[in-house]
Amino acid sequence: MQKLIKTLALSLLIISLFSLPLLAQDRKTVTIAVGGNSVDSAKDLANMYMEKNPDINVEIVETPSSSTERLDLYLQFFEAKSSKVDVYTIDVVWPGILADHLIDFNDYGAKKIVDKHFEAIIENNTLDGRLIALPWYTDGALLFYRTDLLNEYGYDGPPETWDQLEEMAATIQAGERSKGNQDFWGYLWQGNAYEGLTCDALEWVASHGGGQIVNSNKEITIYNDQAIKAIDRAASWVGKISPPAVTGLQEESSRHIWQNGNAAFIRNWPYIYSLGNSEDSVIKGKFDVAPLPGDEPGMSASTLGGWQLAVSKYSQNKEAAVDVAMFMASEEAQKYRAIEESYNPTIKSLYQDEEVLESSPFFEDLYGVFMNAVPRPSTVTAPNYNEVSTSFFQSVHSVLTGEQGAREALGNLQYEIQDITGFEIK
Amino acid sequence: MIKNLNKIIQNTLFIVVLLTIVVYLVFPFYWAVNSSFKTEAQLQMSPTTIVPRNIESNSFDLTFKNYINIFKNDQFVRGMLNSTIVSISTTILSLLSGSFAAFALGKLRFKGKKITLYTILAMTMFPQITVLSGLYAVINTLNIDAIPSMILSYMIFTLPFTTWVMTSFFRELPKELMQSAQVDGATPFQTFYMILLPLTAPALVTTGLLAFIQAWNEYLFALTFTSIDPAARTIPVAIALFSGEVTRQIPYGEIMAAAVVVTIPIVLLVFIFQKKIVAGLTAGAVKG
Amino acid sequence: MSQISNNLFKKEQSLAYKMLIPTILILVIIAIYPLGQVVYTSFTNRVFAGVEETEFVGLDNYTSLFSLTIKELPKDKYAFEVLPREPKRYKELTTFSIFNKQYIIGSVHPNFIEAIINTIIFTFFAVFLETLFGFIIALVVNSKFIGRGVMRAIMLLPWAVITVVSARIWEWILFPSRIGFLNMFLSKLGIGNGQISFLTDSGLQLPSLIMVDVWKTTPFMALLILAGLQLVPNELYEAARVDGAGRVKQFFSITLPLLKPSLAVALIFRTLASLRVFGLFQVLVGQQRYSMSSYNYYQLIGNRAMGLASAISVVIFIIIFIFAVMYMKTLGVEDE
């Protein structure tokens, strides 16, 4: 008798154990990998989605804020062909690296929504006709300048050309130093040997009409006089209007110097706007933004940044995952994020939306910058972009630190890129 | 007289060197403490201040905001628990298994000793990042939860470490100890756990502490194995997930506060165990 | 050989094997496959998280890592115009001149050769200083004085700070303006202009990294040496004192010889960890200067060149192995 009860209990236990996952499967779960401070708004969006689709459970998986570490983690998942994450948030330069593991949104009727987004991003996210990621939010570099100092030294507006910037930066720097602030610098940017330097240097080259390293016809264009002029110009700033340490600065470290009031100009992403205006900031209300300067007026260039949404090939709920991703990239979701957390939408019409503009008035000025943002050659050099970019920023870095001139560095670089990609040199 | 003077100079020199080293070891941690009480604006002050000071009035002014924020973060609080579970389990398992192996390697005669020693060491000689993808595949095949997977995979570095350190200590114990025990009729295994193991207590505690901290600090494996299991995240992972108010901002103040909160329990732990570290061998036992 | 002692040996041997089982078993389960995979992959062109077919390429990865060439560099030419491009392109590693002629050394992976040099210099100085400081601290903490307990807890402080975080602490201390402590402090002493870039200036990078590593791992050394000191019986010192030996003489004639085995183990594990140094380089100097492991990370995660990265790992493994054997031999710890 006892034996019978035991057997019965045991089999009951086994049955219930097996049925647990079955019960849970009634509600499909879609998992999204998100990182950094996108997590909170992603959770809000997930709740909004679940309210409308009660049969789907959306879970947010938090990943590291550092994008290198996030890529590392994603690659581990893809190497293991893991179905544990359905939707990935990916950097604007990753579509080319991860394309093999991601689905084509065109197979799921994305055609009707692509026109709403910035063309440059859609193009960036399209590989061999496959739309492998939906734009989530965008980013573009800007020139931040101290309105109070420009006034004080008699300038009535931000510089439009690099020559003007050099002159203003030198004047203000000399003036502030003679007042006793030895830590003051004219112009800050990101000169460390890392992906950020690729962004900065691409802007210098493009704003001198020196192309985009590799053009859309898969030809290597970096070795040209304008590009050489641009890089040599940047190298001339080091130690003059920019600190010698600029070759070790990244976004955050340059922001610290700027936000302490020790610089007249800085090139950075829009995120420093709200931080510079925070309650205890020294420069609160004393700065404004403008497009970056160009070699000639109107030649401004800003590198395209931002994050995308992609669905894994190994997902077991592709339909549901695509639906969630579409929702997160939708007008409704982007508007929510723009208003709540000032993320820059990728949908053009939102830059005229009254509610959006009310919460972030400077979005109107950003439209032009984002519309014309220059993408890094990540899609055209796929899957070798990282190697191309590393060669590029290391070459530029060696010019900035004075190891070689731009002519030699870029001359060498074109061969290096040719070795990596096999493309022709133009 | 001159001899005395010499001694005084020697001693002073020694104290100066010692103080320098102590300041060098302690100061960076003090800097973390100092930074953890600053707001971002205070952190950015130039020149920087030795204690948190108000940006305008320059008077002493500290903030607890960073500490409040990290304790509001559930992942951080749970991370403390997870890290403790993982590190203690790893340490105990490595000490157990490692001191068994170390006794064999240090005190018993058998064929293939050298090869065994080097093979065990070889397990930790590859860079973590290259081993990771293979290890991830093993963990996936074994189909175990995040916490046991961390405990198991940390053995890759703690086990060779404990084995080697313990082996070197067993070797140092005089042969006479074993022989006299055997004359008294004890089996080798009894000799091991009744006589030798207690004698190596300082080594066990030292090795255990070092292994514990190695496990406590591990980041790369933990990040990968807990990626889809947030409830199992350890402290280093939780800290890496800290994010600023806006994208790209690194919350230095909070990272520093976390460093302080996480380090102090360990220092207390050491303080409690430190007597054991230097308990020493009783003179009688060594004479055998 | 008597029958009895032979029997005893067999008994001992079988006990030894039994006691090794748990360790061997755990290591077999977790380590054999990953390590085997690294070795195997090093002979292929495998792409990390790639979908392409993997091909066996023999020793290609290894030869490309160590391919070197020397060419004459005429005054009017750039390095890249001189160095060969086929079958693989050589990049400038370094230049030198003899008899008024400039020569250039090219390498297929110059960054890797530099990484080896960086890592070995780093390891040499870091381990040397850690051992020295570790000794001083251990000897002090081993003697009796008031506050010894607190001192022992404090000495372990840097080792207890989470690695990921300790790099951040130093990043802030080494900040290249007077926002950073060191620049503020030095400029007060009249050294530098408060703008020293410790992590960018190529002459200061390695010293800065060594300084951080010595800070972090001196406690590890100190603790292991301290534990070793416990094995030195007090009687020996007493006897030496009776013989009139001074403190220095006591140290060299008693302490050091008896410490050799524990010192060897401590040195092996420190050297091993230093040669694999990763986080420190990755966080503080990133891609400005590589260690062997951070270069490996760049190849594996950045370029997804898993075959090449695996070959690099095997090379790191071999270098570490050579060091381990060297220590064992020179410190005379191998008693069989």
Side-chain angles (χ1 to χ4, degrees):
Chain A
M1 187 59 196
Q2 244 187 348
K3 218 177 184 179
L4 190 72
I5 293 174
K6 263 189 188 165
T7 324
L8 214 66
L10 196 72
S11 42
L12 256 174
L13 189 76
I14 292 171
I15 291 168
S16 58
L17 275 178
F18 271 97
S19 53
L20 263 174
L22 288 176
L23 281 173
Q25 260 173 17
D26 267 347
R27 248 180 113 205
K28 277 184 190 160
T29 296
V30 172
T31 309
I32 310 178
V34 185
N37 65 334
S38 287
V39 172
D40 289 337
S41 57
K43 280 185 181 154
D44 294 344
L45 294 185
N47 288 333
M48 281 159 75
Y49 182 85
M50 285 190 280
E51 248 170 56
K52 287 186 205 161
N53 304 276
D55 56 325
I56 289 182
N57 178 35
V58 182
E59 270 179 22
I60 305 288
V61 162
E62 239 180 291
T63 58
S65 324
S66 142
S67 68
T68 331
E69 282 170 20
R70 211 179 308 173
L71 179 62
D72 176 358
L73 191 62
Y74 288 2
L75 288 173
Q76 298 288 353
F77 281 140
F78 288 133
E79 168 75 13
K81 298 195 170 26
S82 168
S83 61
K84 286 167 181 163
V85 173
D86 304 290
V87 181
Y88 289 86
T89 51
I90 64 173
D91 191 287
V92 72
V93 290
W94 295 352
I97 300 170
L98 302 176
D100 291 334
H101 306 281
L102 303 172
I103 59 110
D104 177 4
F105 280 97
N106 285 330
D107 296 344
Y108 295 83
K111 284 248 156 60
K112 56 182 188 289
I113 57 158
V114 295
D115 290 344
K116 293 181 180 172
H117 295 269
F118 288 120
E119 286 82 15
I121 307 179
I122 294 293
E123 201 179 306
N124 178 77
N125 295 357
T126 307
L127 242 100
D128 306 324
R130 295 172 62 227
L131 178 66
I132 50 179
L134 297 176
W136 195 25
Y137 68 90
T138 187
D139 226 348
L142 298 165
L143 181 73
F144 293 76
Y145 61 95
R146 289 280 296 277
T147 45
D148 56 335
L149 293 175
L150 258 64
N151 265 335
E152 189 184 330
Y153 290 88
Y155 299 107
D156 36 299
E160 282 181 61
T161 67
W162 293 113
D163 287 334
Q164 288 169 10
L165 177 120
E166 285 166 7
E167 193 268 319
M168 290 183 186
T171 310
I172 299 174
Q173 181 178 311
E176 290 298 300
R177 289 199 170 198
S178 66
K179 281 190 209 162
N181 185 357
Q182 288 307 310
D183 292 348
F184 194 90
W185 291 97
Y187 183 40
L188 296 174
W189 35 279
Q190 295 77 40
N192 202 339
Y194 79 124
E195 181 64 26
L197 179 57
T198 295
C199 298
D200 283 48
L202 178 62
E203 285 156 4
W204 304 330
V205 173
S207 67
H208 281 78
Q212 302 175 23
I213 308 170
V214 176
N215 69 16
S216 53
N217 294 328
K218 302 200 168 187
E219 290 164 326
I220 300 159
T221 61
I222 187 61
Y223 186 57
N224 65 66
D225 289 342
Q226 284 307 103
I228 291 166
K229 179 180 171 190
I231 305 293
D232 273 334
R233 183 201 284 271
S236 77
W237 297 335
V238 180
K240 281 193 189 135
I241 55 170
S242 305
V246 77
T247 55
L249 293 185
Q250 303 195 0
E251 281 90 354
E252 279 291 86
S253 34
S254 58
R255 176 176 70 87
H256 294 312
I257 303 176
W258 154 259
Q259 207 167 311
N260 187 237
N262 278 335
F265 297 98
I266 184 173
R267 176 262 180 220
N268 215 320
W269 307 92
Y271 85 98
I272 75 166
Y273 190 91
S274 59
L275 291 174
N277 274 325
S278 63
E279 210 39 60
D280 57 355
S281 166
V282 180
I283 54 166
K284 185 182 162 199
K286 292 179 183 167
F287 67 95
D288 208 344
V289 293
L292 286 163
D295 193 26
E296 303 286 330
M299 282 177 76
S300 168
S302 160
T303 299
L304 179 68
W307 286 74
Q308 331 297 318
L309 293 152
V311 172
S312 164
K313 244 185 196 171
Y314 315 110
S315 161
Q316 278 161 356
N317 301 309
K318 289 193 193 81
E319 300 275 337
V322 169
D323 200 53
V324 173
M326 293 259 208
F327 169 76
M328 307 240 325
S330 70
E331 212 164 325
E332 180 191 355
Q334 292 206 1
K335 182 169 172 178
Y336 177 82
R337 278 169 57 92
I339 294 171
E340 294 296 316
E341 305 206 323
S342 316
Y343 279 98
N344 311 305
T346 62
I347 293 174
K348 289 175 268 184
S349 61
L350 285 176
Y351 288 83
Q352 276 123 44
D353 187 286
E354 275 176 26
E355 285 171 76
V356 172
L357 289 182
E358 200 180 314
S359 70
S360 315
F362 68 103
F363 269 14
E364 205 167 1
D365 308 327
L366 293 181
Y367 182 75
V369 174
F370 293 150
M371 190 69 192
N372 302 311
V374 183
R376 284 160 274 173
S378 57
T379 305
V380 65
T381 61
N384 301 313
Y385 169 69
N386 189 69
E387 228 174 319
V388 172
S389 175
T390 308
S391 297
F392 179 62
F393 68 63
Q394 284 182 338
S395 298
V396 174
H397 195 258
S398 70
V399 179
L400 298 176
T401 54
E403 281 164 52
Q404 53 182 342
R407 187 165 292 279
E408 179 179 8
L410 297 186
N412 182 40
L413 177 67
Q414 61 174 345
Y415 292 131
E416 223 163 273
I417 296 177
Q418 187 171 44
D419 291 335
I420 298 164
T421 58
F423 296 168
E424 286 304 312
I425 291 170
K426 196 181 172 186
Chain B
M1 195 58 201
I2 290 172
K3 221 180 184 182
N4 255 345
L5 196 71
N6 248 341
K7 210 166 190 186
I8 290 171
I9 293 173
Q10 254 184 31
N11 280 345
T12 326
L13 208 73
F14 182 73
I15 289 171
V16 168
V17 171
L18 187 69
L19 274 181
T20 317
I21 296 180
V22 169
V23 169
Y24 172 45
L25 290 187
V26 176
F27 184 78
F29 187 73
Y30 168 72
W31 203 249
V33 176
N34 176 20
S35 305
S36 70
F37 287 108
K38 289 180 174 179
T39 63
E40 191 177 56
Q42 286 173 309
L43 279 169
Q44 289 164 350
M45 276 165 85
S46 172
T48 186
T49 55
I50 300 284
V51 291
R53 289 192 182 282
N54 191 287
I55 341 175
E56 274 146 28
S57 64
N58 221 22
S59 57
F60 182 71
D61 180 12
L62 49 78
T63 173
F64 292 98
K65 200 189 75 198
N66 297 318
Y67 287 92
I68 295 168
N69 282 349
I70 60 168
F71 280 109
K72 267 197 218 147
N73 183 335
D74 313 334
Q75 287 212 31
F76 179 74
V77 180
R78 199 163 21 186
M80 297 275 274
L81 184 69
N82 289 331
S83 277
T84 311
I85 294 172
V86 170
S87 312
I88 288 182
S89 318
T90 309
T91 310
I92 290 175
L93 283 175
S94 324
L95 280 183
L96 257 174
S97 166
S99 56
F100 269 51
F103 173 65
L105 291 164
K107 271 282 159 282
L108 298 178
R109 293 168 293 165
F110 66 96
K111 277 186 194 141
K113 192 186 270 190
K114 216 184 215 174
I115 285 211
T116 317
L117 258 177
Y118 278 112
T119 313
I120 291 175
L121 186 66
M123 298 296 163
T124 67
M125 285 185 193
F126 285 92
Q128 263 195 324
I129 182 70
T130 13
V131 181
L132 181 56
S133 72
L135 198 58
Y136 192 46
V138 171
I139 298 293
N140 277 340
T141 318
L142 294 176
N143 198 16
I144 45 176
D145 286 338
I147 289 198
S149 6
M150 282 187 277
I151 296 171
L152 200 58
S153 56
Y154 289 0
M155 297 280 207
I156 257 189
F157 51 86
T158 55
L159 194 48
F161 175 70
T162 48
T163 308
W164 266 66
V165 177
M166 290 308 293
T167 301
S168 81
F169 280 98
F170 275 120
R171 256 197 205 140
E172 285 309 288
L173 294 179
K175 283 216 173 68
E176 297 80 29
L177 272 177
M178 263 186 88
Q179 280 159 1
S180 65
Q182 269 161 5
V183 170
D184 292 346
T187 65
F189 189 71
Q190 280 171 332
T191 329
F192 164 65
Y193 79 84
M194 290 175 70
I195 298 169
L196 296 182
L197 204 55
L199 277 178
T200 51
L204 273 176
V205 173
T206 307
T207 325
L209 267 176
L210 293 174
F212 177 89
I213 294 176
Q214 277 175 359
W216 181 266
N217 283 346
E218 202 286 331
Y219 171 63
L220 202 58
F221 290 172
L223 172 67
T224 312
F225 298 149
T226 63
S227 51
I228 48 126
D229 189 358
R233 280 184 184 140
T234 55
I235 285 282
V237 180
I239 294 178
L241 297 180
F242 280 3
S243 59
E245 296 155 51
V246 293
T247 184
R248 289 177 197 271
Q249 185 198 16
I250 303 168
Y252 273 105
E254 283 169 32
I255 295 175
M256 295 302 124
V260 175
V261 169
V262 172
T263 310
I264 284 174
I266 302 225
V267 174
L268 288 179
L269 190 78
V270 178
F271 187 66
I272 294 165
F273 277 105
Q274 54 92 9
K275 282 216 175 88
K276 291 264 188 282
I277 303 176
V278 246
L281 299 164
T282 59
V286 175
K287 273 183 197 154
Chain C
M1 242 346 198
S2 70
Q3 189 67 36
I4 301 171
S5 78
N6 198 19
N7 261 346
L8 206 66
F9 174 73
K10 280 215 171 117
K11 251 191 186 165
E12 236 180 272
Q13 175 157 294
S14 88
L15 176 68
Y17 289 148
K18 273 183 212 147
M19 294 186 84
L20 281 167
I21 288 176
T23 300
I24 302 288
L25 199 67
I26 293 173
L27 290 177
V28 163
I29 293 174
I30 52 173
I32 289 298
Y33 175 74
L35 301 191
Q37 193 203 36
V38 172
V39 176
Y40 175 79
T41 311
S42 73
F43 299 109
T44 67
N45 64 354
R46 184 160 166 200
V47 172
F48 188 46
V51 290
E52 305 86 356
E53 279 290 306
T54 299
E55 278 169 39
F56 194 74
V57 296
L59 289 172
D60 265 17
N61 291 321
Y62 293 94
T63 48
S64 81
L65 283 175
F66 291 107
S67 300
L68 289 175
T69 181
I70 298 181
K71 292 268 182 242
E72 197 190 324
L73 181 64
K75 287 227 157 50
D76 54 339
K77 290 215 166 180
Y78 289 133
F80 67 87
E81 295 171 300
V82 177
L83 290 168
R85 296 193 69 195
E86 294 297 332
K88 277 188 174 128
R89 208 171 70 86
Y90 286 79
K91 294 168 220 164
E92 179 179 343
L93 179 64
T94 185
T95 53
F96 63 93
S97 24
I98 311 175
F99 303 126
N100 271 334
K101 272 189 181 170
Q102 263 231 311
Y103 291 90
I104 181 162
I105 302 180
S107 155
V108 175
H109 294 286
N111 283 334
F112 180 63
I113 308 284
E114 282 162 16
I116 296 181
I117 297 168
N118 289 337
T119 312
I120 288 183
I121 295 175
F122 171 84
T123 302
F124 177 81
F125 285 102
V127 173
F128 173 77
L129 290 172
E130 282 152 25
T131 316
L132 184 69
F133 293 173
F135 248 117
I136 297 176
I137 292 175
L139 287 174
V140 168
V141 170
N142 198 35
S143 55
K144 279 195 181 133
F145 63 94
I146 303 163
R148 184 169 67 161
V150 179
M151 183 69 191
R152 278 185 203 139
I154 282 178
M155 79 173 193
L156 211 70
L157 195 65
W159 176 251
V161 178
I162 292 184
T163 322
V164 191
V165 174
S166 67
R168 290 269 177 227
I169 297 177
W170 280 94
E171 193 182 13
W172 208 244
I173 292 177
L174 299 173
F175 198 91
S177 89
R178 288 193 288 176
I179 291 176
F181 169 78
L182 207 54
N183 262 313
M184 183 273 281
F185 185 67
L186 290 178
S187 75
K188 275 218 168 123
L189 296 180
I191 304 167
N193 54 356
Q195 304 275 348
I196 305 171
S197 26
F198 299 99
L199 298 173
T200 320
D201 188 313
S202 59
L204 293 175
Q205 278 171 335
L206 277 181
S208 305
L209 291 168
I210 291 166
M211 177 170 72
V212 178
D213 194 65
V214 170
W215 170 75
K216 182 95 179 82
T217 41
T218 293
F220 177 92
M221 266 304 190
L223 204 55
L224 279 179
I225 293 172
L226 183 60
L229 285 175
Q230 305 312 308
L231 288 172
V232 184
N234 276 330
E235 288 82 351
L236 285 181
Y237 288 118
E238 279 157 27
R241 227 167 285 148
V242 172
D243 293 346
R247 264 206 226 156
V248 178
K249 200 173 174 201
Q250 279 176 37
F251 176 79
F252 282 103
S253 63
I254 304 172
T255 317
L256 203 56
L258 277 168
L259 263 181
K260 261 191 188 173
S262 22
L263 192 61
V265 173
L267 278 173
I268 286 175
F269 278 90
R270 263 325 301 153
T271 309
L272 194 143
S274 285
L275 287 171
R276 288 183 320 176
V277 59
F278 170 69
L280 205 58
F281 273 74
Q282 180 80 357
V283 176
L284 294 180
V285 289
Q287 291 187 274
Q288 297 180 51
R289 193 183 272 268
Y290 295 107
S291 71
M292 294 194 289
S293 284
S294 72
Y295 185 72
N296 182 39
Y297 184 86
Y298 158 67
Q299 285 296 352
L300 180 66
I301 301 302
N303 295 345
R304 302 193 296 149
M306 198 174 184
L308 187 67
S310 300
I312 294 171
S313 301
V314 174
V315 171
I316 297 176
F317 172 84
I318 292 169
I319 294 176
I320 292 177
F321 204 89
I322 292 171
F323 270 88
V325 173
M326 253 163 45
Y327 278 128
M328 296 298 277
K329 289 254 182 315
T330 51
L331 287 165
V333 193
E334 281 177 5
D335 50 5
E336 301 129 282

